[in-house]
């Protein structure tokens, strides 16, 4: 492993910061990682969806199968990240070509009991794929890598990713449901209700697989990248990669040329001569005026005193190199600098930063708290009142009494004659054409409201009645024949009442015959 080519600033970090490092790594190489993931994930889900459409009783099992094979697909984005982090230009096409050779180890564990219980598998994938560990060695490596709370962090991060995927799936279906719900009530779960009531199960299967593919396409690379950085952070902690990188950056002293050595010697002679001349011509300086040597703190001196003696020349050399590495302000543990300090401390007591006799303002805090609570209650109440129509579809509604009047027409059953088609034909032959068509239309609406329980309001128009009948037909609440009869009777009434285009005798007779066929058997 070439640590000098590492592109990450690896050092021992808390697990939360290691997960955050995974997001940064994914953002830096998002294109290749996501392309490698989607090139395997989408075909797998599409294949399972097609098979589910042909074998509908096994649709749930095929959805679980796509989820079950997911750990094997995660090795392609891990291949890209493991190369990119060490400076290699690994693209998604190279990852796909190398993917069949990445099944070396851990596949049996990941596709059996580990698939259900190893939510933190992203931490252990590099052990099989990158280290090439197998059998007992892989088990011991997983035990070592998972210590110090790393396995727990990987497990709970996997649980969080699973929850995020569920939220994305439900949110996508609810978002579509908002647009396909009724125009008067916004119900996010309208799509799910329509899918459950649909006799054909293919739309439900396709939408379920589409939502599953969408959520997995987003969260999959995130899970892989964060598990990989958790693994790198644990290895950096165990193997002190930060110190090894610093040691490798120490350059050996260069051999100086003969000419440079002569120049340095002449420079030293000139400096010595100048210093001697200054000492002979200047006044003596007190030794106390010389700057004092900066000493290490007491705890560092005690630690150096209790350290064991060197056991070998190699250990002495290693300790000398470590001392050179730590000989800077960032790693030394203390900072040496000069400060001005008065020789005699003042005996006057220092004034307190805050006076002790401050007024008690607890009552003001109580008033502010009450005002905030009251404001929050008012804001919630206003929000519920302002958007009350948006929440109407989510609340259970009381059964409304049937309407008795539509568009100014009396639709009560007792207001209609016993034989509606005969009365319509009688009025039509007498020349009362408007009364005949009005009777036929209001008799139709009366049957829809009282027999088929259509939710029509008193202010509903002819167009509202038609739309409500169509929605009832889609819910299988209204038969196709009654819908067609309602449509034809409404057309006769609208053309005559608002367009002054009266039908001929044959059209009226056909409308009465169709009405008798669909509605005459209903109780008056």
């Amino acid at each position: 492993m070439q640590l000098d080519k590492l592109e990450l600033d690896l050092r021992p970090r808390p697990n939360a910061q290691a997960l955050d490092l995974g997001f940064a790594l994914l953002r830096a190489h998002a294109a290749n990682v996501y392309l490698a993931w989607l090139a395997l994930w989408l075909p797998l889900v599409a294949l399972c969806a097609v098979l589910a459409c042909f074998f509908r009783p096994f649709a749930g099992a095929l959805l679980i199968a796509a989820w079950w094979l997911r750990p094997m697909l995660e090795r392609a984005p891990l291949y890209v990240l493991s190369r990119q982090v060490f400076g290699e230009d690994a693209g998604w096409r190279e990852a796909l070509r190398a993917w069949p050779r990445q099944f070396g180890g851990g596949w049996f564990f990941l596709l059996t009991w580990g698939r259900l219980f190893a939510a933190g598998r992203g931490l252990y994938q590099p052990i099989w794929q990158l280290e090439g560990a197998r059998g007992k060695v892989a088990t011991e490596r997983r035990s070592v890598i998972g210590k110090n709370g790393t396995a727990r962090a990987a497990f709970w991060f996997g649980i969080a990713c699973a929850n995020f995927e569920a939220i994305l799936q439900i949110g996508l279906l609810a978002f579509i449901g908002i647009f396909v719900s009724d125009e008067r009530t916004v119900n996010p779960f309208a799509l799910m209700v329509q899918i459950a009531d649909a006799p054909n199960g293919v739309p439900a299967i396709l939408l379920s697989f589409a939502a599953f593919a969408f959520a997995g396409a987003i969260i999959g690379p995130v899970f892989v990248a964060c598990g990989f950085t958790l693994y790198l952070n644990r290895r950096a902690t165990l193997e002190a990669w930060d110190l090894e990188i610093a040691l490798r950056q120490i350059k050996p002293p260069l051999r100086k040329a003969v000419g440079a050595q002569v120049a340095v010697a002449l420079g030293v002679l000139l400096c010595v001569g100048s210093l001697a001349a200054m000492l002979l011509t200047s006044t003596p300086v007190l030794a106390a005026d010389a700057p004092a040597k900066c000493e290490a703190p007491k705890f560092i001196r005690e630690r150096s005193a209790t350290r064991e003696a060197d056991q070998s020349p190699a250990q002495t050399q290693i300790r000398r190199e470590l001392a050179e590495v730590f000989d800077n302000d960032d790693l030394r543990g203390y900072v040496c600098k000069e400060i001005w300090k008065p020789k005699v401390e003042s005996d006057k007591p220092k004034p307190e930063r805050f006076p002790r006799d401050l007024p008690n303002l607890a009552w003001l805090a109580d008033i502010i708290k009450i005002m905030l609570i009251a404001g929050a209650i008012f804001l919630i109440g206003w929000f519920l009142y302002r958007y009350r129509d948006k929440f109407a579809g989510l609340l259970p509604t009381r059964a409304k009494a049937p309407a008795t009047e539509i568009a100014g027409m009396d639709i009560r059953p007792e207001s209609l004659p016993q034989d509606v088609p005969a009365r319509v034909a009688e009025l039509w032959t007498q020349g009362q054409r408007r009364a005949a068509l009005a009777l036929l239309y209001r008799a139709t609406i009366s049957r829809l409201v009282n027999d088929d329980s259509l939710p029509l309001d008193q202010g509903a128009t002819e167009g509202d009645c038609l739309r409500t009948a169509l929605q009832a037909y889609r819910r299988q609440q209204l038969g196709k024949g009654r819908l067609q009869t309602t449509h034809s009777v409404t057309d006769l009434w609208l053309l005559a009442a608002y367009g002054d285009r009266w039908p001929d005798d044959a059209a009226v007779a056909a409308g009465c015959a169709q009405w008798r066929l669909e509605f005459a058997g209903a109780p008056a």
Side-chain angles (χ1 to χ4, degrees):
M1 191 171 292
Q2 301 176 354
L3 296 181
D4 52 344
K5 295 183 179 180
L6 193 65
E7 292 185 351
L8 293 179
D9 182 18
L10 270 186
R11 53 180 175 80
R13 285 182 169 90
N15 292 325
Q17 293 184 11
L19 292 173
D20 187 63
L21 184 63
F23 286 98
L25 178 63
L26 180 61
R27 286 194 301 269
H29 309 286
N32 286 319
V33 174
Y34 270 99
L35 286 174
W37 168 250
L38 295 177
L40 297 174
W41 171 247
L42 295 182
L44 174 64
V45 179
L47 176 62
C48 292
V50 171
L51 293 176
C53 291
F54 287 101
F55 306 98
R56 296 177 193 172
F58 302 98
L62 289 169
L63 186 67
I64 295 176
W67 171 81
W68 199 274
L69 295 174
R70 183 170 170 173
M72 294 295 98
L73 275 60
E74 292 171 352
R75 300 198 171 186
L78 181 58
Y79 179 90
V80 176
L81 290 172
S82 62
R83 268 63 180 179
Q84 295 281 2
V85 79
F86 286 101
E88 297 183 21
D89 189 13
W92 63 276
R93 292 185 180 87
E94 181 183 348
L96 293 182
R97 287 193 295 267
W99 177 65
R101 301 191 300 272
Q102 305 298 315
F103 294 158
W107 63 269
F108 183 77
F109 171 77
L110 292 175
L111 296 181
T112 51
W113 66 89
R115 186 65 185 94
L116 296 174
F117 305 106
R121 64 181 182 277
L123 176 65
Y124 304 128
Q125 285 273 28
I127 296 176
W128 293 301
Q129 183 175 348
L130 304 181
E131 297 183 14
R134 302 290 185 270
K136 185 178 179 181
V137 176
T139 303
E140 294 176 353
R141 286 293 294 165
R142 294 205 311 270
S143 176
V144 173
I145 294 295
K147 290 182 179 180
N148 198 25
T150 308
R152 183 170 60 253
F155 176 82
W156 286 113
F157 182 74
I159 297 296
C161 288
N163 283 276
F164 275 118
E165 285 196 22
I167 292 172
L168 285 175
Q169 296 177 38
I170 298 174
L172 178 62
L173 296 177
F175 180 73
I176 300 174
I178 290 176
F179 294 96
V180 301
S181 58
D182 188 75
E183 62 271 10
R184 291 174 296 179
T185 57
V186 178
N187 186 5
F189 303 100
L191 179 64
M192 303 177 191
V193 175
Q194 293 181 11
I195 289 175
D197 296 340
N200 187 6
V202 173
I205 293 173
L206 293 179
L207 282 174
S208 300
F209 274 89
F212 176 65
F214 172 75
I218 295 177
I219 301 298
V222 175
F223 175 75
V224 175
C226 292
F228 181 49
T229 51
L230 268 179
Y231 165 81
L232 290 178
N233 182 66
R234 181 58 179 159
R235 286 203 58 180
T237 304
L238 291 172
E239 303 172 19
W241 281 0
D242 53 339
L243 294 179
E244 184 175 352
I245 293 173
L247 288 173
R248 291 187 179 186
Q249 292 176 350
I250 298 177
K251 297 181 180 179
L254 299 176
R255 296 182 178 180
K256 299 180 181 180
V258 178
Q261 294 179 356
V262 174
V264 170
L266 292 176
V268 171
L269 291 176
L270 290 175
C271 291
V272 172
S274 302
L275 181 60
M278 291 174 59
L279 291 175
L280 293 175
T281 57
S282 60
T283 57
V285 180
L286 296 179
D289 294 337
K293 184 179 179 181
C294 184
E295 296 182 357
K298 183 178 180 181
F299 71 94
I300 293 181
R301 296 197 303 269
E302 292 177 352
R303 185 175 59 190
S304 301
T306 56
R307 188 176 62 182
E308 296 181 358
D310 299 338
Q311 302 296 327
S312 64
Q315 185 177 9
T316 304
Q317 179 66 21
I318 292 174
R319 285 184 174 179
R320 186 182 302 109
E321 292 178 355
L322 286 176
E324 293 178 1
V325 172
F326 282 93
D327 191 16
N328 59 73
D329 293 340
D330 295 331
L331 301 176
R332 187 186 295 118
Y334 63 94
V335 178
C336 184
K337 62 180 181 179
E338 296 181 354
I339 59 173
W340 289 93
K341 186 176 181 181
K343 293 182 178 181
V344 180
E345 294 288 343
S346 176
D347 297 334
K348 296 181 180 180
K350 297 182 179 179
E352 295 183 359
R353 188 172 182 181
F354 299 101
R356 296 181 179 178
D357 51 349
L358 288 176
N360 187 5
L361 300 178
W363 58 272
L364 182 59
D366 294 336
I367 292 176
I368 295 175
K369 180 172 65 175
I370 294 172
M371 291 176 63
L372 290 176
I373 294 174
I377 294 174
F378 172 78
L379 183 62
I380 294 173
W382 175 85
F383 180 80
L384 294 176
Y385 176 77
R386 172 65 177 81
Y387 298 98
R388 61 189 182 278
D389 55 332
K390 304 297 183 182
F391 302 101
L394 301 177
L395 301 175
T397 57
R398 298 180 180 178
K400 296 182 179 179
T404 59
E405 182 179 343
I406 296 292
M409 298 180 182
D410 189 1
I411 62 171
R412 294 175 299 166
E414 56 268 18
S415 67
L416 301 175
Q418 188 69 24
D419 192 351
V420 173
R423 181 58 180 164
V424 169
E426 181 182 353
L427 291 173
W428 185 263
T429 57
Q430 293 176 359
Q432 301 180 24
R433 297 182 297 177
R434 188 179 185 87
L437 295 179
L439 174 60
L440 185 62
Y441 178 71
R442 68 187 182 93
T444 303
I445 299 302
S446 177
R447 290 290 193 268
L448 295 177
V449 171
N450 294 283
D451 299 338
D452 298 310
S453 302
L454 261 65
L456 295 176
D457 298 330
Q458 184 174 353
T461 63
E462 289 84 352
D464 294 336
C465 296
L466 272 180
R467 282 191 293 270
T468 305
L470 181 60
Q471 293 172 2
Y473 169 71
R474 290 173 178 173
R475 296 193 299 268
Q476 299 181 356
Q477 182 183 350
L478 187 67
K480 185 177 181 180
R482 289 204 170 194
L483 177 64
Q484 293 176 350
T485 303
T486 303
H487 198 282
S488 60
V489 170
T490 304
D491 288 343
L492 292 175
W493 166 248
L494 289 177
L495 290 174
Y498 299 102
D500 199 19
R501 297 168 56 187
W502 300 94
D504 53 10
D505 296 344
V508 175
C512 291
Q514 189 177 5
W515 194 96
R516 184 184 298 278
L517 180 63
E518 294 296 335
F519 294 105

